Structures are given as structure tokens and as C-alpha cells.
Amino acid sequence: MWVYEKRLQFPINIKETNAKLAQDIISQYGGPDGEMSASMRYLSQRYSMPDKKVKAALTDIGTEELAHLEMVATIIYQLTRDLSIEEIKASGFDKYYIDHTIGIWPQAAGGIPFNACEFQCKGDAITDLFEDMAAEQKARSTYDNILRLCKDHPDVYEPIKFLREREIVHFQRFGECLEAVKDTIDHKNFYAFNPSFDTKAPCLKNN
């Protein structure tokens, strides 16, 4: 069970509309490396994670990603809430407007809808944690790209910078989780392959 605190993790107060910028930032809402896929990834993976501390980290980070999803949605909403029809047409926001008006809907910057195939849950601790570390790096790279586009908009830049910093922290935490898991597997090698997971099914052992 979660307890919802009715405030954003970082304050957002955007004073000017900017539909073009909103169309870029929306990728971190429903894009391939966005906060929606991150939260669903970690909150799904936690069930099959054998290490209790790593399971707790997945729950903590997955919960924080929901807070980041809320932040990104707030940024998009504040950038688009007072748009005129003329601004919508001029900015290229009209295609989104036709389907969603100014509602917040998960898609990538290129318009591709959110798809659960954008994250994975394999049930193997090594596989899932490597995916998690890669996911945080890809999200950090996406925020880097967004920061280059919004550097002249401080009301947007500061919360995006905060979100980028959290990706770095999460990457470090997942690295620590990986080290903890590696210490418990039954073989040690450079690639951290987990042979105890990749065993034949009981019905195939005699084949």
C-alpha cells in the first residue's frame, strides 16, 4: 500500500506556454525510456527478486518513478494549459490536440504510443538489474537531450535537471544491487552469468 503525499517531489511553476517543448518532454512520460516504463519495470521485477534488500530498492525506486511521472505530467500540463487555437496550429500540436485536446496521454516525442514491450521483466536477478542500469542511463541521456532544448526556459530547466540527477542516483543504487546479487550466485565470472537460474526443467533432466 502507498501513502500519497499531495505535493510534487520538486516544485514546478511554469509561467509561459510552449507546445513545442511539451511535445519533446512528453517522451519522458510515455516514451521508450520514460518514467512510465521505469515505474512499471521496477514494480514488476520486485516480485521475483530473491534478495530482500534489492526487492526493497526496486520498490523504493519504482515508487519514486511514479513521482517523476507526476512531475513530467505537470510540466506538460503547465506548458499547454493556456494554449490558443492559433498557438496549437502554429506549434504542430494540432495532431495531438485532435486526439487528446490538452489531456496528458503517454506517447513518445515522435508520437508513438506507450507500449509495455518497452520494458522487460525476466525473473532473473542478473538480467533484470542489468536492464535497470541500462534504463537509467538511457533516461539520463534523454534528459540530457531535453536540457539542451530548454536551456533558455529556467522554469522548465530546473525540474528537468532534478529529474536527470535522480537517474544518476538510481543508476548507482542499481549498481550496488547488482554487486549484492553477484555475491550470492553460485559461480563467479566476469559477465556475472547466473547458471543456477539457467537450469533444465525437471522433466528434461534425464534427456
Side-chain angles (χ1 to χ4, degrees), residues 3-191:
V3 176
Y4 175 65
E5 188 173 348
K6 296 182 180 180
R7 66 178 181 87
L8 295 175
Q9 193 178 18
F10 187 93
I12 298 171
N13 183 21
I14 299 170
K15 303 176 183 66
E16 297 180 0
T17 57
N18 190 322
K20 287 187 176 180
L21 199 51
Q23 291 173 84
D24 298 328
I25 293 171
I26 203 168
S27 226
Q28 282 303 92
Y29 190 74
D33 306 309
E35 305 292 355
M36 182 169 289
S37 61
S39 60
M40 294 299 100
R41 176 187 294 109
Y42 308 145
L43 293 176
S44 298
Q45 289 176 355
R46 66 187 175 135
Y47 291 99
S48 54
M49 190 61 60
D51 186 292
K52 290 184 179 179
K53 290 183 179 180
V54 177
K55 183 180 293 188
L58 285 164
T59 303
D60 289 345
I61 297 174
T63 300
E64 186 177 358
E65 301 292 12
L66 291 174
H68 295 170
L69 188 70
E70 182 182 37
M71 284 183 61
V72 174
T74 301
I75 292 170
I76 298 163
Y77 173 71
Q78 291 188 11
L79 284 170
T80 59
R81 61 185 168 186
D82 296 322
L83 289 172
S84 66
I85 293 298
E86 290 72 23
E87 289 172 322
I88 289 170
K89 291 178 180 178
S91 65
F93 196 63
D94 52 330
K95 296 179 180 62
Y96 181 95
Y97 179 84
I98 289 296
D99 292 329
H100 312 294
T101 318
I102 56 169
I104 307 301
W105 190 75
Q107 68 174 48
I112 301 169
F114 173 76
N115 189 323
C117 293
E118 292 166 349
F119 69 90
Q120 187 51 277
C121 179
K122 283 293 188 182
D124 174 48
I126 298 296
T127 305
D128 286 345
L129 287 169
F130 268 110
E131 163 152 343
D132 299 343
M133 293 178 70
E136 294 297 327
Q137 286 291 67
K138 288 186 286 184
R140 190 266 310 158
S141 295
T142 303
Y143 279 125
D144 282 340
N145 293 339
I146 292 171
L147 285 170
R148 294 184 187 102
L149 296 173
C150 70
K151 62 182 181 180
D152 296 326
H153 305 275
D155 291 344
V156 179
Y157 189 91
E158 290 305 317
I160 294 293
K161 186 173 71 171
F162 169 83
L163 289 167
R164 177 193 180 275
E165 290 169 353
R166 296 309 299 165
E167 306 297 345
I168 295 170
V169 172
H170 293 170
F171 178 76
Q172 295 297 118
R173 287 198 65 192
F174 283 133
E176 294 165 3
C177 290
L178 181 61
E179 290 303 310
V181 168
K182 283 165 59 178
D183 288 339
T184 65
I185 60 178
D186 54 6
H187 286 67
K188 302 289 188 292
N189 61 47
F190 182 80
Y191 294 104

